[in-house]
């Protein structure tokens, strides 16, 4: 699949700021809008890993909540 990059775009114009890259699916915000959850897929030396990631809404503090190996997938 095609990986996506999340940008923050100022409402009144200006330069977009890259927040996160390598997003493998749609993302969602926490109810308070302070965090983002998304999936990321990485392939290293033929091994695939799918990961459920979380980050602050500004893209900082990215961390892995859960992972699945080559033979497993999130559904």
């Amino acid at each position: 699949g095609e990986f996506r990059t999340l940008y923050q775009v100022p409402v009144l114009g200006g330069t977009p700021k890259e927040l996160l890259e390598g997003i493998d699916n749609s993302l969602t915000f926490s109810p308070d809008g302070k965090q983002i959850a998304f999936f990321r897929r990485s392939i290293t030396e033929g091994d695939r890993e799918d990961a459920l990631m979380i980050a602050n809404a500004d893209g900082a503090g990215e961390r892995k909540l859960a992972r699945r190996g080559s033979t497993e997938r999130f559904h």
Side-chain angles (χ1 to χ4, degrees):
E2 187 176 307
F3 299 116
R4 295 162 182 87
T5 302
L6 177 66
Y7 290 89
Q8 180 182 43
V9 180
V11 175
L12 300 177
T15 305
K17 176 185 173 188
E18 185 177 311
L19 299 182
L20 296 166
E21 59 183 17
I23 298 172
D24 187 36
N25 211 317
S26 58
L27 56 88
T28 189
F29 286 88
S30 62
D32 63 5
K34 293 182 180 181
Q35 295 183 312
I36 305 167
F38 60 96
F39 288 104
R40 176 173 288 149
R41 175 174 292 161
S42 60
I43 301 173
T44 307
E45 298 179 17
D47 290 328
R48 189 187 81 218
E49 177 185 270
D50 292 335
L52 173 60
M53 306 292 293
I54 192 166
N56 296 334
D58 66 358
E62 184 179 307
R63 57 202 177 278
K64 191 181 302 184
L65 292 180
R67 65 170 294 280
R68 297 284 187 247
S70 295
T71 59
E72 304 170 307
R73 289 189 170 191
F74 287 104
H75 292 283

